[in-house]
Amino acid sequence: MKVAIVGAGFTGLSVAYKLTKEKITVDIFEKEKSLGGLASSFSLPNWQNPLEKHYHHWFTNDSHALDLIKELGLEQDLIFPKTTTSIYYQGNSYPFNSPLDLLNFHPLKLSSRVRTGVILLYLKILPKVWAIELEKFTAYYWLEKWFGKQSFEILWQPLLLGKFGALASKINMAWFWARIKKRTMRLGYLHGGYQKLIDSMAHEINQNGGKFFLSTSFDSNHVSKYDKVIVTAPTDYFLNTFRNFPVEYKRRLSQIPHLHALNFVMITKKKFLDRVYWLNINENNFPFIGVIQQTNMIDCSSYGNQHITWVANYLPPNHPYLKMTPDMLYKTYLPFLKKINKDFDFQGSIINCYTFLGKFAQPVFPVHYSRVKPDFITPFDNVYLANMDMVYPWDRGTNYAIELGYEVAKMVTRES
Ligand SMILES: Cc1cc2nc3c(=O)[nH]c(=O)nc-3n(C[C@H](O)[C@H](O)[C@H](O)COP(=O)(O)OP(=O)(O)OC[C@H]3O[C@@H](n4cnc5c(N)ncnc54)[C@H](O)[C@@H]3O)c2cc1C
């Protein structure tokens, strides 16, 4: 059997890893010149390690990713350092890592803090079989009803608005549940970055006979050369590349909105955030949603003693920021970055800035999403689809990309 895999992100790599282990002939097509998709990296000459274009970490319960790291003998490089997550609200930064932090979160009145803690605990212990029922509610409705107006308006609404903009009120509560359920206090990273895991998977795939075709966009003319084709690229690509879809199938999949991720990376001499790794912006008028200080997770010696800050954004495909140069984006963000750290010497400290765009990086899950969620099986014989629109209710992540890749590989192997 000869299989084509479209896309060499974590899903495509995981399919290839499993199939080549089974001695199945695999060709992997990747339109970019490097592997890793949304989890790919870049590097600078004086750095010891590459850096993800978009911030990445694992949770302690990301079992598929952690098992794979062990299987590939990279366990000694895996770390779960102590990091701080905070909330930026009305000019102040509040730690938000533990129940104690919530209790000390003074913008909420005490009764609201207690109520928030109880509901968070409820969501944390609610099992998936029941939580999926929450998809019939919008997160807006459910959060305001159960957390109360104050907690909704200060804690949750700004996060939903920041991430989903005009689509925020459409997000379903099962997705929100998954975010709370999944989150762990410790966050993990690999010395050498995600690239180390990607390289290790690619090495195994090559050793087992898999072939990579980089800078090669797969198109429907390639299909006839293979017994099976597994598409791991975004749904949008699938719908625009393959022809003659049944009308209803195309209509169903076209309904899934996606946002692009835009990350602005500042390389600086000094840290922008003093101690905080992850700063959520809980302000409705900021032009970005979070600031992540990588060098509060990983020592700056990995990056030639330079410091790394991502300024994070998710935007609809037609948003003007997506066309901005790093310089234009810097000018747009600067007044707001100054609010976060008014003492930071931007002129003296900034070495360079980059922007990275992750297309179709965030599917948007409205109420009753499970009715439109795509399947592996497509209308075409021997063509399968496996991408991040399917990991629902979980939010997309490399852990689920690995799990998805294994599942579709199992299905294809069974059918061969
Ligand atoms: C801002 C951001 C932060 C994130 N943070 C985390 C995190 O902290 N932890 C975590 O685990 N995950 C995180 N993720 C999610 C994680 O990166 C993704 O879930 C995962 O990488 C998805 O892998 P994938 O293979 O399904 O998709 P992708 O990575 O999108 O891979 C699809 C591949 O298909 C290729 N492709 C598209 N069209 C074609 C074509 N015509 N021919 C050939 N190839 C094609 C693309 O170039 C791409 O390489 C984050 C993502 C973003 C955007």
Side-chain angles (χ1 to χ4, degrees):
M1 180 166 68
K2 197 169 177 194
V3 177
I5 297 171
V6 186
F10 263 93
T11 306
L13 289 171
S14 305
V15 187
Y17 176 69
K18 279 288 174 200
L19 292 183
T20 50
K21 269 189 160 190
E22 300 288 328
K23 304 287 170 236
I24 292 172
T25 307
V26 164
D27 287 348
I28 305 126
F29 292 83
E30 170 53 58
K31 77 172 168 54
E32 301 298 331
K33 57 180 188 296
S34 56
L35 305 175
L38 292 172
S40 62
S41 301
F42 73 110
S43 194
L44 294 181
N46 54 337
W47 288 2
Q48 282 68 34
N49 289 313
L51 174 78
E52 294 70 40
K53 294 172 183 167
H54 307 280
Y55 48 86
H56 271 72
H57 53 246
W58 284 292
F59 297 127
T60 50
N61 55 18
D62 277 337
S63 55
H64 300 286
L66 302 185
D67 288 350
L68 177 62
I69 288 168
K70 268 190 223 153
E71 198 173 304
L72 292 170
L74 303 176
E75 206 180 356
Q76 75 284 357
D77 293 316
L78 185 64
I79 48 160
F80 280 90
K82 201 169 178 336
T83 51
T84 304
T85 296
S86 291
I87 285 181
Y88 180 81
Y89 177 68
Q90 292 195 341
N92 291 306
S93 175
Y94 299 89
F96 213 77
N97 304 282
S98 63
L100 193 63
D101 288 341
L102 173 61
L103 220 54
N104 286 324
F105 186 66
H106 292 291
L108 291 182
K109 55 184 193 275
L110 184 61
S111 61
S112 197
R113 281 177 251 163
V114 173
R115 183 172 171 183
T116 299
V118 171
I119 303 297
L120 280 175
L121 181 65
Y122 166 74
L123 290 175
K124 213 67 191 149
I125 59 179
L126 191 68
K128 184 180 161 195
V129 275
W130 292 345
I132 202 73
E133 295 296 320
L134 294 174
E135 74 162 9
K136 58 177 177 269
F137 303 109
T138 64
Y140 259 39
Y141 165 80
W142 199 97
L143 294 171
E144 184 164 2
K145 179 174 161 81
W146 293 100
F147 281 95
K149 194 171 164 56
Q150 196 190 33
S151 178
F152 172 64
E153 284 179 355
I154 293 179
L155 286 179
W156 312 123
Q157 191 179 31
L159 295 183
L160 285 166
L161 269 176
K163 185 154 191 174
F164 296 104
L167 297 170
S169 61
K170 303 241 178 300
I171 301 302
N172 83 43
M173 187 55 204
W175 176 85
F176 192 93
W177 162 83
R179 296 292 304 220
I180 300 291
K181 180 79 175 175
K182 197 57 202 154
R183 170 114 212 150
T184 56
M185 295 237 279
R186 290 275 173 152
L187 304 175
Y189 195 74
L190 206 57
H191 275 303
Y194 274 55
Q195 193 61 45
K196 191 159 197 167
L197 179 57
I198 292 166
D199 290 345
S200 181
M201 292 172 88
H203 176 75
E204 289 294 309
I205 293 165
N206 273 323
Q207 290 289 96
N208 289 325
K211 283 201 197 109
F212 287 98
F213 296 88
L214 295 182
S215 307
T216 310
S217 194
F218 188 89
D219 64 55
S220 47
N221 298 328
H222 290 102
V223 173
S224 59
K225 297 185 192 133
Y226 294 92
D227 299 304
K228 293 191 189 281
V229 176
I230 303 171
V231 177
T232 72
T235 300
D236 185 79
Y237 153 79
F238 181 51
L239 294 179
N240 287 313
T241 308
F242 286 69
R243 302 256 168 265
N244 304 323
F245 282 99
V247 174
E248 175 50 25
Y249 181 84
K250 191 161 186 174
R251 192 196 60 78
R252 184 160 67 94
L253 266 62
S254 315
Q255 276 177 40
I256 307 166
H258 292 85
L259 299 175
H260 294 340
L262 180 69
N263 266 294
F264 176 71
V265 186
M266 294 193 294
I267 317 287
T268 55
K269 291 180 195 158
K270 297 259 165 64
K271 270 183 197 172
F272 177 67
L273 297 178
D274 200 18
R275 286 170 301 107
V276 174
Y277 163 65
W278 185 286
L279 185 68
N280 276 319
I281 306 296
N282 281 49
E283 301 272 7
N284 289 331
N285 57 352
F286 264 52
F288 49 82
I289 62 159
V291 179
I292 299 105
Q293 184 74 54
Q294 171 78 348
T295 38
N296 278 334
M297 156 89 89
I298 296 293
D299 192 79
C300 62
S301 57
S302 282
Y303 312 105
N305 293 323
Q306 297 172 344
H307 289 274
I308 316 278
T309 317
W310 285 281
V311 183
N313 231 333
Y314 288 91
L315 299 164
N318 54 357
H319 197 284
Y321 290 0
L322 299 175
K323 295 210 173 87
M324 286 188 177
T325 60
D327 200 40
M328 287 156 80
L329 207 53
Y330 172 63
K331 284 188 183 126
T332 309
Y333 287 172
L334 187 61
F336 299 90
L337 291 169
K338 279 183 175 164
K339 286 188 192 189
I340 295 172
N341 184 350
K342 63 176 169 15
D343 298 325
F344 192 70
D345 173 14
F346 286 90
Q347 278 220 317
S349 190
I350 291 193
I351 299 166
N352 218 333
C353 296
Y354 300 87
T355 50
F356 293 106
L357 173 64
K359 282 194 161 184
F360 306 104
Q362 177 69 57
V364 178
F365 299 129
V367 288
H368 294 302
Y369 178 76
S370 43
R371 293 180 190 165
V372 293
K373 187 178 112 167
D375 302 318
F376 289 151
I377 306 285
T378 72
F380 309 115
D381 285 344
N382 298 316
V383 176
Y384 303 81
L385 180 67
N387 68 21
M388 67 176 89
D389 294 358
M390 300 177 186
V391 303
Y392 173 80
W394 307 112
D395 196 28
R396 82 278 179 283
T398 52
N399 182 60
Y400 296 107
I402 294 166
E403 183 184 23
L404 197 72
Y406 289 177
E407 277 174 15
V408 76
K410 199 151 126 199
M411 175 187 238
V412 167
T413 320
R414 233 186 1 242
E415 285 182 359
S416 68

